[in-house]
Amino acid sequence: MNLELYIYRMWQNFTEKGLYKQVEILQMKEIQELRAQIDKADEKINQYLDKRYELVKEIKKIKKTSSLPVQDKGREDQILTKCSNEHSKEVFKEILKQSRIMQKKGL
């Protein structure tokens, strides 16, 4: 028996017995479990962002009364240096941008 025929028969056996569907179901279950973990991580991220923005509001008050500039490039660079990868760095750049926007409102 040649290899192509062998592979074809194995595939036929695999699909006829519903094994393909079982594998597909297991993969979907794994995806759902991973997504549940992502949902938990997202919830924590959201909580931390809420806390961060509350702290930014406090900094805004201090900067306003002290006439300090909104942007502190040194502080931003310090934060970005701590990022473990480029994706995290891009997310933090957006967080910092939103923090500046919050501080500029009402200054």
Side-chain angles (χ1 to χ4, degrees):
M1 176 183 323
N2 70 24
L3 183 59
E4 288 177 9
L5 182 58
Y6 175 77
I7 291 171
Y8 174 75
R9 287 188 179 162
M10 290 296 292
W11 176 254
Q12 235 179 353
N13 190 29
F14 184 69
T15 56
E16 285 174 3
K17 291 185 177 179
L19 296 175
Y20 180 75
K21 194 66 174 167
Q22 289 175 353
V23 168
E24 195 174 76
I25 290 168
L26 289 173
Q27 288 172 335
M28 288 306 298
K29 183 177 180 185
E30 184 178 6
I31 288 171
Q32 288 173 342
E33 289 170 359
L34 291 169
R35 285 181 176 163
Q37 291 178 38
I38 288 172
D39 289 344
K40 288 178 184 177
D42 288 347
E43 186 177 323
K44 287 181 182 179
I45 290 168
N46 196 36
Q47 290 171 355
Y48 284 125
L49 286 172
D50 287 345
K51 175 66 176 173
R52 189 181 200 289
Y53 292 135
E54 288 302 314
L55 296 169
V56 167
K57 289 177 187 177
E58 293 301 313
I59 290 173
K60 172 186 171 177
K61 291 176 189 175
I62 295 168
K63 286 183 175 181
K64 185 176 182 179
T65 59
S66 302
S67 299
L68 293 171
V70 168
Q71 188 168 16
D72 182 344
K73 185 73 171 125
R75 173 69 176 145
E76 289 184 11
D77 290 343
Q78 183 184 33
I79 292 168
L80 295 175
T81 301
K82 294 178 188 178
C83 293
S84 59
N85 60 61
E86 285 302 312
H87 302 290
S88 295
K89 188 176 274 190
E90 290 303 313
V91 170
F92 267 94
K93 284 179 182 178
E94 186 61 32
I95 291 170
L96 293 169
K97 176 183 167 189
Q98 292 304 316
S99 295
R100 286 191 306 273
I101 289 169
M102 285 179 65
Q103 290 182 57
K104 287 177 183 175
K105 289 182 179 178
L107 286 184

